[in-house]
Amino acid sequence: MSLKKQALDILALNDRGTYTIPTQGLYPHQWNWDSVFIALGIATYDSDRAWTEILSLLEGQWPDGMIPSIIFRSDEPGYFPGPDRWGDTPGAIASTGVSQPPVLATIVRQLTVGDQQRRKDVFDQMFAWHAWFHDKRGIDGLITNVHPWETGRDNCPEWDIGLDRMDVAPDLAPYTRQDNKHSDPRFRPTELQYDKYISIVQFGESIGWDQRRLTDEGPFLMGDPNLHFILLRANRDLLAMAKDIGKPPTVIAQIEAWIEAGLKAADRLWNPELEAFTAIDVRSGTFSPGFSNCSGLCFYADAGSVEQRSKTLAHLDRINADVNYMLPSWDPNDDAFEPQRYWCGPLWAQMNYLTSMGLREQGYAAHAMELRCGLIDAIEKSGFWECFDPMTGEGCVSRNFSWTAAIWLAWDNETQQQGAA
Ligand code: GLC
């Protein structure tokens, strides 16, 4: 069967009518940035259904503007932590109490070229979400995260510094993990990491999901290049849409101020020892020790000095020489590199997509192509997995994965269009 047919079949298999689950078994709900990438893939063959995916995600928005990482439209016993564990959340639909990387405005801009009405329909909700990030997670312009899950890169070794500094809650209510029942535990986070993840959830629930308090008083607080650069880029796209649809000067000025603050604060993520953008533990000022697959997002955000960008390219070259399939989620030079353990090494479709997009836009076509080929070669070898071993191209964790299929379709569509031009 052709790869295109396989990709289409996966999206059909995971379709739940108005939204699409990431994969059967492990992830039976609607995930935030998954849905956005999925919409990008679906848009290659059904723009109305793609738009429905976006609208269904927006249905989960909280009154304070947050769009949560997971929207629970059902209570699936095979998923933990489900709605019970997150407790009362203020959105119209039960959800988690943390967010996820805001790729939404960037993809909406791509999906609505020439369709001003659709941009208008969702603009205010996107604006409110960005405002939420700045108000609730911003610290002097730096976008922080209160839970590794909020970054979308769950158990990346970037978070070890922040997790090491926190304790498991002494009164942690007992729980049973479900993720290990759906996939090989060797690929998944450890027990201690999981205890800490659930301890943060318990803290958030205990303060009624007061999001500013969660940032200021919660057990974990780090700055993340993924969230920071993705939001900075999303603000640029939001600004372009605001101008396009004639939003008032106050709205335009607000977005411009966010961009300026985001550009300035990017320097706080520059790790002077490694000479790369990395996560930072905000309270201790300690930087994470390795180059991850979001360190190169400075190009996507159009941020960083000439020097920072050239050092970033040098890291990409170094890593390219060490692996067979770009771009590993963690630095192969670091002891914590594990080529098959989730965010400790495997390459991920959506990260290759974003990093490659930024490199291409900034004129680094060859580097962009390495990332594109890394993913496509892994898919050709192994199929549409959640992530892939960067040394062997073998698929890891879950198969029939929606965003891997969606990104393949988006790139395939781009190639066809370029061929036709
Ligand atoms: C994992 C990933 C996260 C993703 C989710 C659903 O938790 O780390 O980024 O959104 O799975 O695919």
Side-chain angles (χ1 to χ4, degrees):
M1 201 196 299
S2 74
L3 282 175
K4 182 165 186 173
K5 172 91 175 80
Q6 287 178 46
L8 294 170
D9 284 354
I10 289 168
L11 291 179
L13 178 76
N14 294 337
D15 188 350
R16 294 294 174 270
T18 56
Y19 67 97
T20 308
I21 59 168
T23 188
Q24 297 192 353
L26 186 61
Y27 301 127
H29 301 287
Q30 180 173 26
W31 263 258
N32 184 325
W33 67 333
D34 294 66
S35 259
V36 179
F37 287 111
I38 288 165
L40 183 71
I42 297 178
T44 63
Y45 56 89
D46 185 345
S47 56
D48 285 343
R49 177 63 186 81
W51 195 242
T52 304
E53 189 79 27
I54 300 290
L55 295 179
S56 70
L57 174 63
L58 290 170
E59 281 170 12
Q61 187 165 35
W62 285 17
D64 69 359
M66 182 176 87
I67 306 183
S69 61
I70 309 174
I71 299 173
F72 299 119
R73 289 168 195 274
S74 57
D75 192 1
E76 300 276 340
Y79 183 79
F80 179 84
D84 284 356
R85 195 71 180 208
W86 293 90
D88 272 345
T89 48
I93 311 173
S95 73
T96 59
V98 296
S99 199
Q100 255 194 340
V103 285
L104 181 65
T106 300
I107 305 292
V108 162
R109 185 172 173 212
Q110 288 183 44
L111 294 184
T112 57
V113 173
D115 191 345
Q116 271 208 358
Q117 191 51 49
R118 282 184 167 166
R119 291 176 182 209
K120 275 190 186 152
D121 290 347
V122 296
F123 183 90
D124 290 349
Q125 281 184 275
M126 295 190 297
F127 182 89
W129 188 24
H130 290 202
W132 178 88
F133 264 115
H134 289 281
D135 294 347
K136 307 293 188 193
R137 295 285 187 264
I139 296 187
D140 299 330
L142 178 69
I143 303 304
T144 61
N145 64 288
V146 297
H147 195 304
W149 291 344
E150 194 158 63
T151 69
R153 301 184 297 120
D154 304 9
N155 65 329
C156 184
E158 296 249 55
W159 315 126
D160 290 354
I161 321 163
L163 291 173
D164 285 351
R165 278 172 50 91
M166 69 170 275
D167 295 320
V168 173
D171 59 345
L172 184 66
Y175 67 91
T176 309
R177 276 175 83 162
Q178 296 293 331
D179 60 311
N180 279 345
K181 299 184 181 158
H182 299 288
S183 55
D184 187 334
R186 284 178 305 132
F187 297 163
R188 298 282 306 168
T190 64
E191 294 301 327
L192 180 60
Q193 282 169 336
Y194 230 81
D195 276 353
K196 293 192 175 176
Y197 299 155
I198 304 304
S199 297
I200 306 172
V201 172
Q202 189 161 301
F203 178 85
E205 203 264 336
S206 76
I207 57 164
W209 295 111
D210 175 333
Q211 294 290 345
R212 189 68 231 186
R213 270 190 74 193
L214 185 53
T215 301
D216 294 337
E217 299 167 28
F220 180 95
L221 184 68
M222 291 192 69
D224 172 26
N226 205 39
L227 282 175
H228 191 84
F229 286 140
I230 287 177
L231 181 62
L232 178 49
R233 168 57 187 261
N235 275 328
R236 293 187 185 284
D237 291 304
L238 195 69
L239 180 64
M241 289 188 279
K243 289 182 175 163
D244 184 38
I245 60 182
K247 282 286 168 185
T250 45
V251 169
I252 306 236
Q254 176 62 82
I255 305 172
E256 283 171 346
W258 288 335
I259 294 172
E260 209 185 304
L263 279 170
K264 248 193 180 151
D267 264 342
R268 291 183 52 203
L269 295 167
W270 183 254
N271 175 333
E273 210 172 302
L274 186 70
E275 300 192 303
F277 289 107
T278 69
I280 182 171
D281 180 72
V282 174
R283 293 179 182 131
S284 67
T286 318
F287 284 100
S288 155
F291 192 93
S292 77
N293 59 348
C294 68
S295 297
L297 287 181
C298 50
F299 298 99
Y300 173 78
D302 196 3
S305 65
V306 172
E307 198 195 344
Q308 286 169 334
R309 290 182 186 202
S310 86
K311 303 247 177 202
T312 302
L313 288 173
H315 278 291
L316 286 169
D317 291 337
R318 162 179 72 79
I319 290 172
N320 193 25
D322 280 353
V323 301
N324 299 316
Y325 298 82
M326 281 290 262
L327 171 68
S329 43
W330 186 242
D331 200 320
N333 273 6
D334 189 80
D335 290 347
F337 177 72
E338 289 184 77
Q340 298 202 325
R341 196 188 278 275
Y342 220 41
W343 287 92
C344 303
L347 71 104
W348 289 73
Q350 84 287 11
M351 298 308 299
N352 276 35
Y353 179 82
L354 300 176
T355 310
S356 170
M357 185 200 264
L359 285 163
R360 199 187 50 190
E361 287 171 350
Q362 300 296 327
Y364 301 100
H367 286 88
M369 199 41 91
E370 272 152 15
L371 268 64
R372 195 157 164 152
C373 291
L375 175 63
I376 295 203
D377 290 352
I379 292 174
E380 280 173 0
K381 176 169 182 183
S382 304
F384 294 94
W385 285 79
E386 181 169 5
C387 49
F388 301 86
D389 182 326
M391 311 312 280
T392 64
E394 196 183 323
C396 304
V397 196
S398 294
R399 43 171 95 234
N400 294 336
F401 214 80
S402 294
W403 65 19
T404 312
I407 281 160
W408 189 93
L409 286 170
W411 271 344
D412 180 59
N413 190 53
E414 223 176 81
T415 310
Q416 306 300 331
Q417 283 181 355
Q418 278 159 5

